[in-house]
Amino acid sequence: MNIEIEQQNNYQVVKLYGEVDLSNSRSIKLDIIKLIKSKNNVIVDFTHLQYIDSSGMASLVEAFNEAKENHTEFHIVGANGSPLQVLQLTRLNTVFNLADSVGAVTHNG
Amino acid sequence: MVKPIITVEHLFAQYGDTQVLKDVNLEVNPGEILVVMGGSGSGKSTLLNHMLGLKTPVSGTIMIDGVNIFTAKSKQLRHLRQKMGVAFQGGALLSSLTVADNVRLPLEQNTSLDTQTIDIMVRMKLELMNMAGTGHMMPSELSGGMLKRAGLARAVIMDPKLLFFDEPSAGLDPTTAVELDELILTLRDAMNMTIVVVTHELESVFKIADRVVVLFNGEVVANGTVDEIKNSPDERIQNMINRQPNTYRDDGEVYFNRLLDKDNI
């Protein structure tokens, strides 16, 4: 698992690579929540994410809730393959703001 | 070529003098739903118990994810068990805990996730099982179908790579049984789980199985796709499919030994 964070326009883009599971979901959550508490709008980029388990999804629900409380934006982009299926299985595709790409959010933002 | 996630080789098991598994060989491939089918006393539950490492065989090996479960060190086994989920026939919930506390138990015992994360995971799994809002209930308040679904929620709470399910639809009304079959297919498709189901329910077998292993008197008498099983010329299998009483009998000596076997009660 690898995580890269970079600024694009008014957003902090969190790029996830590899697999999010029980072993790393907590530290990813803490990284994202730290950005949100600093009043950043966050885009979590799933483009290169191969797998995410339900601890990862639950962590993103917590981050999304944090964003709501801080009145910041929280988006998930580029979901495909297994992570997209998990989003659909858990019906979190109806909860999160999903977009195809980082550009689709930053150009509208 | 795909490497099997489970390999059972030359497995022999017996209770007392009675052989209950006789040279069982099978493989389960990743992402596959394998159904072990057989009537009462066919040895299917014994096979499941051996796959779970709950019983030690007379001889033979079972490799799961590269680990020989009969010779593995306890640390290796613990690590392996975290990748395995088991849904027992009656749900096997702890009667003194609420549904939610039962479901969260594996996470509490095996992870250091925050309580809030665990709470969300439990709710997500209960939603998936169509049991939203039942977390506060005690197992004694649940119907048979709900007990099974709660047991399944606990079995998949850690997103196991491998799920074992004992008699998913036994004792359920037809609608609930169909729902549970759908759920098994969804878990395989969306979470890429490998699933081993032990059952005697034919509708379920034909709906969910990628491959079927038929056990009869402790022996594998068929191993193939649903179509291959349906078209098997084996009289024992056709009797099972057509729900005919099985007229096949052991030879006299096996029967005689069983009548005198002190453990066969």
Side-chain angles (χ1 to χ4, degrees):
Chain A
M1 173 65 210
N2 196 15
I3 178 169
E4 281 175 14
I5 301 173
E6 63 185 42
Q7 174 92 32
Q8 282 195 36
N9 299 341
N10 294 324
Y11 296 87
Q12 289 286 339
V13 180
V14 179
K15 294 184 176 178
L16 301 177
Y17 295 85
E19 302 193 348
V20 174
D21 58 25
L22 290 167
S23 68
N24 53 32
S25 59
R26 186 171 183 273
S27 76
I28 292 166
K29 176 183 79 174
L30 295 177
D31 284 345
I32 296 174
I33 285 182
K34 196 171 158 192
L35 293 172
I36 296 168
K37 281 187 184 296
S38 306
K39 304 291 177 194
N40 288 294
N41 296 319
V42 168
I43 299 172
V44 181
D45 187 354
F46 272 25
T47 306
H48 303 286
L49 185 64
Q50 284 155 4
Y51 174 78
I52 182 165
D53 72 359
S54 45
S55 74
M57 284 299 175
S59 297
L60 292 174
V61 171
E62 289 178 81
F64 184 44
N65 188 45
E66 192 71 33
K68 279 181 176 289
E69 286 177 2
N70 282 275
H71 307 290
T72 60
E73 292 180 37
F74 184 88
H75 303 267
I76 292 176
V77 302
N80 63 91
S82 163
L84 179 61
Q85 283 186 312
V86 176
L87 277 168
Q88 289 163 344
L89 175 70
T90 53
R91 291 195 293 116
L92 290 174
N93 56 332
T94 63
V95 173
F96 294 129
N97 304 310
L98 299 181
D100 289 342
S101 64
V102 172
V105 177
T106 55
H107 291 147
N108 290 331
Chain B
M1 189 167 152
V2 186
K3 200 174 160 206
I5 189 165
I6 303 178
T7 307
V8 178
E9 280 186 325
H10 303 300
L11 193 73
F12 287 83
Q14 63 185 56
Y15 295 132
D17 291 333
T18 312
Q19 281 207 327
V20 277
L21 293 178
K22 301 164 196 167
D23 197 19
V24 170
N25 294 277
L26 61 89
E27 290 180 342
V28 187
N29 295 316
E32 177 176 61
I33 299 178
L34 177 85
V35 176
V36 179
M37 169 182 149
S40 302
S42 61
K44 59 188 191 303
S45 297
T46 303
L47 176 59
L48 177 67
N49 287 335
H50 280 81
M51 284 183 179
L52 297 176
L54 302 174
K55 297 275 183 195
T56 310
V58 173
S59 61
T61 57
I62 297 182
M63 303 289 291
I64 298 184
D65 212 13
V67 176
N68 181 334
I69 61 165
F70 302 126
T71 59
K73 300 220 163 36
S74 57
K75 192 179 168 189
Q76 254 183 321
L77 271 183
R78 213 169 36 244
H79 188 243
L80 183 65
R81 288 213 168 100
Q82 287 185 11
K83 297 188 222 167
M84 291 164 49
V86 188
F88 292 101
Q89 199 174 144
L93 302 184
L94 297 175
S95 59
S96 58
L97 298 180
T98 63
V99 168
D101 286 345
N102 266 287
V103 175
R104 68 192 296 132
L105 211 54
L107 289 172
E108 299 277 10
Q109 289 176 338
N110 296 297
T111 75
S112 50
L113 292 172
D114 299 331
T115 307
Q116 193 185 358
T117 310
I118 291 178
D119 286 344
I120 293 170
M121 290 172 75
V122 169
R123 288 184 204 112
M124 275 165 48
K125 286 297 190 298
L126 288 177
E127 289 272 352
L128 183 61
M129 301 299 152
N130 208 11
M131 287 188 68
T134 61
H136 66 283
M137 293 171 79
M138 300 304 286
S140 58
E141 298 175 276
L142 302 183
S143 67
M146 287 168 92
L147 280 171
K148 273 184 199 282
R149 280 182 281 150
L152 184 55
R154 184 179 60 190
V156 300
I157 191 69
M158 305 245 303
D159 297 327
K161 214 168 154 177
L162 187 53
L163 174 68
F164 295 92
F165 205 153
D166 191 12
E167 300 284 5
S169 45
L172 298 182
D173 64 81
T175 312
T176 311
V178 168
E179 281 172 10
L180 217 50
D181 286 344
E182 292 289 344
L183 207 49
I184 291 170
L185 289 169
T186 305
L187 288 172
R188 192 274 306 272
D189 293 342
M191 304 184 79
N192 202 25
M193 279 182 198
T194 305
I195 303 178
V196 177
V197 175
V198 170
T199 188
H200 63 271
E201 299 282 339
L202 288 168
E203 288 80 2
S204 185
V205 174
F206 294 151
K207 181 158 188 204
I208 63 176
D210 293 314
R211 212 150 46 77
V212 185
V213 164
V214 184
L215 279 181
F216 193 87
N217 284 348
E219 287 180 74
V220 174
V221 294
N223 181 345
T225 63
V226 168
D227 282 345
E228 285 167 348
I229 299 298
K230 279 182 175 171
N231 296 322
S232 167
D234 191 315
E235 187 192 345
R236 295 164 296 183
I237 294 171
Q238 286 307 320
N239 283 343
M240 235 183 266
I241 291 173
N242 297 315
R243 300 175 190 281
Q244 296 296 316
N246 230 311
T247 49
Y248 177 89
R249 290 285 181 260
D250 293 321
D251 64 37
E253 192 187 342
V254 173
Y255 177 45
F256 173 70
N257 287 335
R258 212 162 44 229
L259 290 177
L260 294 178
D261 182 357
K262 288 196 294 287
D263 296 319
N264 182 28
I265 288 289

